[in-house]
Amino acid sequence: MQMRGGSSKGVYFLASDLPADIMTRNNVLKWVMGAYGDPRQIDGLGGADPLTSKIAIIDASSHDGCDIDYTFIQALVGQDDLDETPNCGNLLSAVGAFALESGLLKRDGDTAHIDVFMTNSGNRCRLSFPISDGLPLYDGDARIDGVFGTSAPVMCHYANLAGSASGSLWPTGSKRDDFLGFSATCVDNGMPVVALRATEFGISGHETPDALNANGDLKQKLEAVRLLAGDAMGLGDVADKAVPKMCLVSAPVNGGTIHTRTFIPKICHKAIGVLGAVSAATAAIHPDSAIYDFATLPQSDENDNQKALTIEHPSGVFDVTLTLASGSDFDILGAGLLRTARLLARGEVFVPKSVWKGA
């Protein structure tokens, strides 16, 4: 099935419908997406954009307390490669609907609660969304920026996201680092992100994604920082990986917490990723981070462990609620956010016979 999850779009498969051999599976998926080095992805279902070049693989869960296992794969646009390192919280928002549509799970009543194990990171998320006669409802009044119109709400409740890919909330061991003279906070609260000060790169941080994508000098500097930061975060050589994401931060302009421009990792996002927003929000509220002084934080008392934050991005805003442990120095228990989803198409995708040889 092809589904929109949040502000992304991807192709969703049951694990049982794909080859068990990983090499054969990946060759099949490259042909599905058209990922063989053609940035247009003409010979596949990918949309020539990182937000539409995504894959979700769903299986009945083998983990206690979870209903389904979700594996995310990013087909790297213009590269003959797939990346299974990151999570994708946007595609995640539709995996519960896919599980019901495919018959993998059954639910009764008016609301489905589905517990998801994210195999990429080992993290968990509970999805809650309206259903009728056991199938998802897609029409509703919920609105998210970056998506036209309104849809039924999908509530995503994440638990224990810290260190999703790197093993630590602050993977360099510091709240603030310096790479090539640029101040940075490396954070991994669901997604490895390098939060940077936009003004240090000679920009305001309010430029359009197209303008930033055309700025060759900026992109060269960002990639140089990303390679160093990725190694410092314990991610190894990230030249061919989709993480870490690079988030240029400036002061909010529309009443939010921070203003962002995110590269995923080399193309400026027209919005911001779900888990990237969670990590950016985490960096924004820590007093020692490189971007804390840009943030406009909600007033709260010392006992308030719920932090409601609004992350501004090129298409609007993304609301994130972080839950901190009471009395903790900085122990984040979970994150909650609103997404929407929609089934776009179901059917068969055709792969050349030669790909299956030896499978």
Side-chain angles (χ1 to χ4, degrees), residues 17-357:
D17 287 339
L18 292 171
D21 176 71
I22 297 300
M23 183 175 294
T24 305
R25 183 202 73 176
N26 287 351
N27 285 335
V28 167
L29 293 176
K30 287 179 184 180
W31 276 98
V32 168
M33 302 306 292
Y36 276 97
D38 179 5
R40 302 168 301 166
Q41 295 184 325
I42 291 296
D43 201 21
L45 298 182
D49 186 286
L51 300 185
T52 58
S53 188
K54 298 183 173 186
I55 301 159
I57 302 174
I58 315 302
D59 200 1
S61 184
S62 58
H63 298 87
D64 290 342
C66 288
D67 300 303
I68 56 176
D69 290 346
Y70 156 55
T71 298
F72 168 69
I73 299 178
Q74 178 77 56
L76 301 176
V77 178
Q79 301 179 52
D80 178 15
D81 207 0
L82 304 173
D83 190 1
E84 207 170 320
T85 306
N87 282 318
C88 178
N90 274 306
L91 283 204
L92 171 66
S93 61
V95 301
F98 173 82
L100 297 185
E101 293 279 9
S102 66
L104 183 64
L105 294 180
K106 296 186 181 299
R107 289 291 187 272
D108 298 320
D110 297 328
T111 303
H113 301 288
I114 295 178
D115 292 303
V116 183
F117 183 86
M118 295 173 273
T119 66
N120 302 68
S121 63
N123 296 126
R124 300 174 183 234
C125 181
R126 166 165 280 199
L127 303 176
S128 301
F129 53 92
I131 59 174
S132 177
D133 295 326
L135 292 175
L137 293 175
Y138 298 110
D139 290 335
D141 297 327
R143 183 186 301 275
I144 62 172
D145 287 327
V147 177
F148 177 77
T150 63
S151 304
V154 180
M155 297 306 302
C156 307
H157 302 280
Y158 293 92
N160 302 318
L161 287 172
S164 64
S166 64
S168 174
L169 182 63
W170 312 107
T172 68
S174 175
K175 311 301 186 300
R176 186 168 185 149
D177 295 287
D178 183 283
F179 300 106
L180 302 176
F182 297 104
S183 303
T185 289
C186 298
V187 58
D188 180 2
N189 196 21
M191 177 68 70
V193 167
V194 182
L196 302 155
R197 301 171 65 86
T199 51
E200 290 188 359
F201 290 83
I203 62 172
S204 68
H206 305 150
E207 293 83 357
T208 67
D210 287 344
L212 295 178
N213 283 326
N215 189 334
D217 180 63
L218 170 67
K219 293 177 71 175
Q220 185 176 25
K221 290 176 180 176
L222 283 176
E223 183 61 9
V225 171
R226 193 177 80 87
L227 294 176
L228 292 174
D231 185 58
M233 296 169 78
L235 300 172
D237 182 359
V238 298
D240 294 324
K241 294 181 179 180
V243 291
K245 314 297 188 187
M246 308 299 284
C247 187
L248 293 168
V249 178
S250 54
V253 295
N254 295 310
T257 304
I258 53 173
H259 197 77
T260 64
R261 293 292 184 270
T262 301
F263 285 73
I264 55 169
K266 302 175 185 180
I267 299 173
C268 188
H269 202 317
K270 293 181 176 63
I272 189 171
V274 171
L275 296 172
V278 173
S279 286
T282 301
I285 66 174
H286 199 290
D288 296 333
S289 80
I291 64 169
Y292 178 79
D293 62 321
F294 283 137
T296 299
L297 300 177
Q299 291 185 347
S300 61
D301 59 48
E302 293 182 359
N303 297 319
D304 183 11
N305 64 344
Q306 297 281 331
K307 305 294 183 186
L309 309 169
T310 298
I311 310 303
E312 298 177 359
H313 57 76
S315 301
V317 299
F318 197 114
D319 292 322
V320 176
T321 299
L322 297 179
T323 302
L324 280 70
S326 298
S328 169
D329 177 40
F330 206 84
D331 185 9
I332 298 180
L333 300 178
L337 44 91
L338 167 70
R339 295 279 84 192
T340 65
R342 189 167 79 88
L343 174 62
L344 303 177
R346 71 167 86 228
E348 298 173 291
V349 57
F350 294 88
V351 175
K353 184 186 297 185
S354 60
V355 179
W356 300 92
K357 288 182 178 179

